[in-house]
Every structure is written in structure tokens, then in C-alpha cells.
Amino acid sequence: MTTLDLIAPAFIEMAHSIVWASVATVDADGRPRSRILHPIWEWDGTDLFGWIATAPTPIKKAHLAVHPYVSVNYWSPSHDTCSAEALVEWYTDDETRTQVWDKFAKGPAPVGYDPSIIPGWDGPTSPSFAALRLTPYRLRVMPGSAMLTGTGGVLTWQR
């Protein structure tokens, strides 16, 4: 098992280079549903958090109301993969939505982008804009070389 202080920077480096992730939720009947989302991750030396700018759709809201967890999986064509299993919290207050909007608007390339390009997101207080905060309890980072050539270490961490 890898310590969080070692895996968090490696996870962020890989996740931010891949950018897009398959994120799965589970409905009240235990059925999974995946979608492609664009998390941004922050490591302060002690805690790792992810943020997702998203629309608070009825399906996402219903899934997360009964099962407030997600599985986040990144994959690149070189077979680099990293994943996070995380507790999720909705944020719909103006202050947090503005902070998350700014995280993406001012984020480093390639993970940063202008959220206003999304239809219906006129600004951080738009009714169709919300923020999800991800608090991981399990992480995995696997360079493609580990699978393809047996070189490079697989990192895992669990709270």
C-alpha cells in the first residue's frame, strides 16, 4: 500500500494529463450508470479532493441521494490508468460554485477550460451549474508500462 503523500501527486499528474474520466454512479436498485466527466483535483499536502463542474440532473441527483459515491476511471491510449473511488457531496451555494467555476476557468492546461462554453452555463450561479466535491477513499495509479512490459510500479492507497 502506498501512502497518500506519494500517490496523490502521481494520481493528479496522470489524471490531469488524461483529463476526461468515466464516472459511475449507482441507482436505488443497485444498477450502475457511467458518464464522461472532467474532474479537477487538488492536493494540499494533507488532503486530496476532486471537483466536478456539472449539471444537477435528476438522474445524478437521485443516484447520489441514495448512494453518495462514485467510481472515477481514467484511461489513455498508452494504457496509463488511474482511478478513484470517492464520497461525493453536492454544492449548490453561490460561493462554492463560483470557486469551482474559477478552478476550471483558471486551471492549468489541459484540465482548465472556460465553463461558459457549456450551453446553459452563463456563469457560476446559473441554475444548471453545480459542483460535486469528491473525497477519495481508494486510489490506484498504473502506468501503461506495468501492463505492457512489466516495468513501472502500480500505486494503490486506501483510507
Side-chain angles (χ1 to χ4, degrees), residues 38-50:
H38 181 162
I40 194 166
W41 295 90
E42 297 179 318
W43 168 245
D44 65 7
T46 303
D47 295 309
L48 175 66
F49 295 106

Side-chain angles (χ1 to χ4, degrees), residues 40-116:
I40 194 166
W41 295 90
E42 297 179 318
W43 168 245
D44 65 7
T46 303
D47 295 309
L48 175 66
F49 295 106
W51 292 95
I52 297 174
T54 191
T57 64
I59 289 173
K60 272 188 235 142
K61 287 169 63 176
H63 285 200
L64 294 174
V66 293
H67 298 291
Y69 300 94
V70 293
S71 178
V72 181
N73 190 60
Y74 295 88
W75 173 84
S76 75
S78 66
H79 300 295
D80 288 342
T81 62
C82 61
S83 60
E85 312 299 327
L87 173 68
V88 178
E89 299 171 87
W90 280 107
Y91 283 83
T92 56
D93 64 282
D94 290 350
E95 180 181 351
T96 304
R97 292 189 303 159
T98 299
Q99 290 172 359
V100 171
W101 182 280
D102 290 344
K103 287 178 194 305
F104 283 97
K106 297 173 183 173
V111 77
Y113 73 100
D114 178 3
S116 68

Side-chain angles (χ1 to χ4, degrees), residues 114-128:
D114 178 3
S116 68
I117 65 170
I118 306 297
W121 290 4
D122 302 323
T125 59
S126 296
S128 61

